[in-house]
Amino acid sequence: MRETPLSNCERQFLLKAIEEKKRLDGRQTYDYRNIKITFGTDYGCCIVDLGKTRVLAQVSCELVAPKENRPTEGILFFNLELSPMASPAFELGRQSELLVKLNRLLERCLRNSKCIDTESLCVVSGEKVWQIRVDVHVLNHEGNIMDAASIAAIAALCHFRRPDVGIQGEEVTVYSTDERDPIPLSIYHMPICVSFSFFLQGTYLLVDPCEREERVMDGLLVIAMNKHREICSIQSSGGIMLLREQVLRCSKIASVKVSEITDLINRALENDKKVRTEGGKFGFAESIPKQRITVLKSDGALLEVTNLEQKAEGIASGAEPISDLGRASSPVVRAPGTAQVGESLENAWGLEQLEEEEEEEEPVDQTMDEGQEKEEESLYHKKGEVVVISDSEEEDVVILHPETKVKDSDQQTSSSQQQGTGVTKKKKKPVN
Amino acid sequence: MADCLKDKVGSVLLPGDIFSFESKEEKVICGPGLRRNGDEILVCKSGILRHKQPNMYWIDSQQKRYVPAKGESVIGIVTVKSGDVFKVDVGGSELASLSYLAFEGATKRNRPNVQVGDLVYAQFLIANKDMEPELVCMDSCGRANGMGVFGTGGLLFRVSLGLVRRLLAPQSELVKELDRAFPFEMVVGLNGRVWVKAQSTQHMLILASLLETCENMTAPQRQALFRKVAHSAP
């Protein structure tokens, strides 16, 4: 099977929409799609849903002889596979360019960053070490496989437990899970990839490109980072020239995203651990809530176009005090063994443009308070069940480097092309 | 014999179900999902059996993969221009061929202006499992009748085949309700591709999003949603 070609009509539309700061699925420029992390019944099995992209990672281990030049270190092995199940364009057993690139990136992200203590995997020096193998399977391809794969791989590694071994003289005994509790790997940090796609020679930037956006993008920048804001690997492809500021900007965005995702993984792990110790049900089957035919149907992000001016007012006035990272990134727990973020994200596009038009006609005054109240209400409401991944990253980005705050915001006004709409609006308000 | 079919109208059938006949007096027309095998009728798709007076039966199924059928109108993407024919992707297992003479007013001198990547609205002249499907952009009288190459602009997206059939049904509630929301142009191909054009990018995005979300909604839910959109859209 070949993949469906991209028509000129779609290409033109996408580029035009990107120029107008709109995306097909109603996200903002810096928004991720919904992320859902689910663990399997076995240790070391993890499925990550990134929107409709779905990736499964499975960790396994075996005792092997170490490499000669490193007799005391365990071996890490990564393997990413693109099966025809993910997309009809992928063929089995063919080393496509994309596959090689993804494998290389995954290896650089996880092995070369030395996030796993390989020395602790040594059993008998020079003779026996653990080989940890991570198999990543792409189950569905809707764009941005790399981010999903890196999240799945690191989450699976964190979740994995290897069997305990005992050494008596020359004899090595591997204890089964019944005899002795299995041991988790020692993980120093969690590197996570964040992809940025560039359009029109780098004029426009989008985080987490979907499949159709990936097809029209000019270049891709992948930054692997951990939550301590250490860059583990960085790669630019597509051959576009990026300015120094652009790369710095991307790394700032990446640090915000990575801290959110790390939080989410930790929550999912904790949740899974809790359920396991309590003896409750866990695993994929349990994470599907009801046994109905419609269980797998996804409620797409519904358009929220009501109360345009009220809501927009609310957002604009609510945008200023956003300074706590915590609120935006607290994940939800739906079912045992899972965690997810950004479920039923509300679309906000279109609000600002319409709102501006309307504002010019009639000054809104008394609706403002109502709007504010409404927004507050809905925020409280959201805290309970649904969390929207931070909708305006500008503020978040600024917090990371408080000393450059003023300069940053100056830059933002000047380079209005790459800006989140929230800020533009805020700046406009006093003028009106 | 039609009795056994009639009894099952409206119920769910699975592939492998068999209807057998004793008398050969009556005629039955088998639509999609039903196949004649000797004296029997086999069900080859899972779905609900539908009936239309006097004797037409078919299976109403949900699927995403398109299988070309003769006479159906589809939206195709031109992928290759090779000599006299264009190869067009219609979402089926094979590329369909479209002759450059199969456009209204096209002659050997006067070729239609079709580029690779363009969208065409065409119907199947030949579609069977053994041959390469063939498309034409005119009806039997040689008129375009709405078919041909698309102009610039607009948004193309995919929906399920079931939704497409609902959109194309005569007196479709869905289309009427959409119409009330705001003005737009729409082309619906039976292969699950929908092309819309409205006055702004945002309207097109809203339309695409509406169509994708409303598939699994009940009528009142949908109406409420559309009303909301109609009120807020300028």
Side-chain angles (χ1 to χ4, degrees), chain A residues 4-5 8 20 212 305-306, chain B residues 79 93 117 156 193 201 228 232:
Chain A
T4 323
N8 298 343
E20 292 180 24
R212 285 208 260 182
V305 267
T306 41
Chain B
T79 52
S93 61
L156 180 82
R193 294 196 181 133
T201 312
K228 251 201 256 176
S232 49

Side-chain angles (χ1 to χ4, degrees), chain A residues 36-40 43 155 158-159 161 262-283 286-288 331-341:
Chain A
K36 185 179 167 196
I37 300 172
T38 320
F39 293 107
Y43 282 119
C158 292
H159 189 245
R161 304 276 187 279
T262 314
D263 227 33
L264 182 72
I265 295 175
N266 286 332
R267 275 288 280 275
L269 283 166
E270 265 171 45
N271 185 24
D272 183 72
K273 198 173 159 193
K274 205 175 83 194
V275 177
R276 269 168 209 269
T277 48
E278 282 169 2
K281 290 175 175 173
F282 50 85
E286 299 310 325
S287 61
I288 297 174
V332 238
V333 172
R334 270 292 162 87
T338 67
Q340 62 199 89
V341 133

Side-chain angles (χ1 to χ4, degrees), chain B residues 78-87 97-100 111 116:
Chain B
V78 178
T79 52
V80 189
K81 251 165 106 175
S82 61
D84 295 353
V85 289
F86 306 115
K87 294 285 178 200
S97 67
L98 170 64
S99 165
Y100 76 94
R111 286 182 171 236
V116 169

Side-chain angles (χ1 to χ4, degrees), chain B residues 157 167 175 178 184-188 194-197 207 211:
Chain B
F157 56 93
L167 284 172
V175 176
L178 272 177
F184 63 91
E185 273 181 86
M186 179 159 76
V187 180
V188 183
V194 179
W195 177 91
V196 289
K197 188 171 182 181
L207 269 173
L211 282 176

Side-chain angles (χ1 to χ4, degrees), chain A residues 30 249 392-398 412 418-420 423:
Chain A
Y30 301 137
R249 183 188 184 81
S392 63
E393 272 72 21
E394 301 294 340
E395 281 80 6
D396 298 347
V397 173
V398 173
Q412 281 160 14
Q418 292 203 349
Q419 221 164 31
V423 173

Side-chain angles (χ1 to χ4, degrees), chain A residues 1-2 4-5 7-10 13 16-17 20 22 24 212 297 302-303 305-306 308 349-350 353-354, chain B residues 65 77 79 89 93 95 116-119 154-156 193 195 201-202 204-206 209 213 216 228 232 234:
Chain A
M1 275 295 290
R2 74 223 100 61
T4 323
S7 63
N8 298 343
C9 156
E10 284 166 280
F13 183 88
K16 199 170 140 230
E20 292 180 24
K22 298 199 172 85
L24 282 175
R212 285 208 260 182
K297 116 178 176 3
L302 276 179
L303 292 169
V305 267
T306 41
L308 281 183
W349 45 249
Q353 181 202 330
L354 294 170
Chain B
R65 168 70 57 199
I77 303 168
T79 52
D89 179 280
S93 61
L95 293 178
V116 169
D118 276 358
L119 296 175
L155 166 65
L156 180 82
R193 294 196 181 133
W195 177 91
T201 312
Q202 193 199 332
M204 291 189 249
L205 282 167
I206 290 178
S209 180
T213 45
N216 295 315
K228 251 201 256 176
S232 49

Side-chain angles (χ1 to χ4, degrees), chain A residues 128-373:
Chain A
K128 274 198 166 40
V129 293
W130 283 111
Q131 184 193 46
I132 305 290
R133 183 190 165 95
V134 186
D135 285 289
V136 181
H137 296 267
V138 180
L139 304 181
N140 193 28
H141 172 40
E142 272 301 324
N144 205 1
I145 294 176
M146 195 52 229
D147 292 11
S150 80
I151 297 170
I154 194 70
L157 280 168
C158 292
H159 189 245
F160 182 67
R161 304 276 187 279
R162 66 173 171 83
D164 198 3
V165 286
I167 306 163
Q168 272 152 354
E170 289 288 285
E171 208 167 282
V172 179
T173 15
V174 179
Y175 294 103
S176 71
T177 45
D178 307 329
E179 289 168 308
R180 282 197 195 176
D181 282 341
I183 302 166
L185 304 174
S186 55
I187 290 168
Y188 296 132
H189 59 93
M190 286 158 58
I192 286 160
C193 291
V194 179
S195 301
F196 300 88
S197 52
F198 291 90
F199 298 85
L200 299 173
Q201 271 69 46
T203 325
Y204 299 98
L205 168 144
L206 294 182
V207 175
D208 183 24
C210 71
E211 201 251 345
R212 285 208 260 182
E213 285 163 353
E214 272 185 354
R215 289 220 219 165
V216 294
M217 72 188 174
D218 287 332
L220 183 74
L221 180 75
V222 181
I223 299 180
M225 198 186 256
N226 61 23
K227 74 169 176 196
H228 313 297
R229 294 210 291 270
E230 295 162 338
I231 292 179
C232 300
S233 93
I234 183 164
Q235 174 167 331
S236 146
S237 54
I240 56 157
M241 308 282 274
L242 291 177
L243 300 171
R244 191 169 142 263
E245 290 80 42
Q246 279 176 311
V247 178
L248 283 174
R249 183 188 184 81
C250 286
S251 70
K252 282 179 188 171
I253 298 167
S255 68
V256 177
K257 293 293 167 200
V258 164
S259 71
E260 283 176 7
I261 295 169
T262 314
D263 227 33
L264 182 72
I265 295 175
N266 286 332
R267 275 288 280 275
L269 283 166
E270 265 171 45
N271 185 24
D272 183 72
K273 198 173 159 193
K274 205 175 83 194
V275 177
R276 269 168 209 269
T277 48
E278 282 169 2
K281 290 175 175 173
F282 50 85
F284 303 127
E286 299 310 325
S287 61
I288 297 174
K290 281 174 220 140
Q291 293 302 312
R292 291 215 206 114
I293 292 177
T294 50
V295 150
L296 296 174
K297 116 178 176 3
S298 64
D299 306 293
L302 276 179
L303 292 169
E304 195 49 67
V305 267
T306 41
N307 304 335
L308 281 183
E309 68 263 72
Q310 290 187 11
K311 265 212 81 169
E313 285 291 345
I315 290 170
S317 49
E320 279 145 69
I322 291 182
S323 53
D324 50 336
L325 266 167
R327 199 200 64 208
S329 60
S330 65
V332 238
V333 172
R334 270 292 162 87
T338 67
Q340 62 199 89
V341 133
E343 168 128 301
S344 69
L345 210 81
E346 274 184 1
N347 282 359
W349 45 249
L351 298 179
E352 65 287 337
Q353 181 202 330
L354 294 170
E355 182 247 346
E356 273 163 26
E357 281 167 15
E358 274 162 50
E359 256 186 353
E360 277 159 31
E361 286 162 24
E362 29 139 14
V364 194
D365 31 21
Q366 97 270 19
T367 41
M368 188 150 174
D369 295 335
E370 276 174 39
Q372 258 174 327
E373 271 171 33

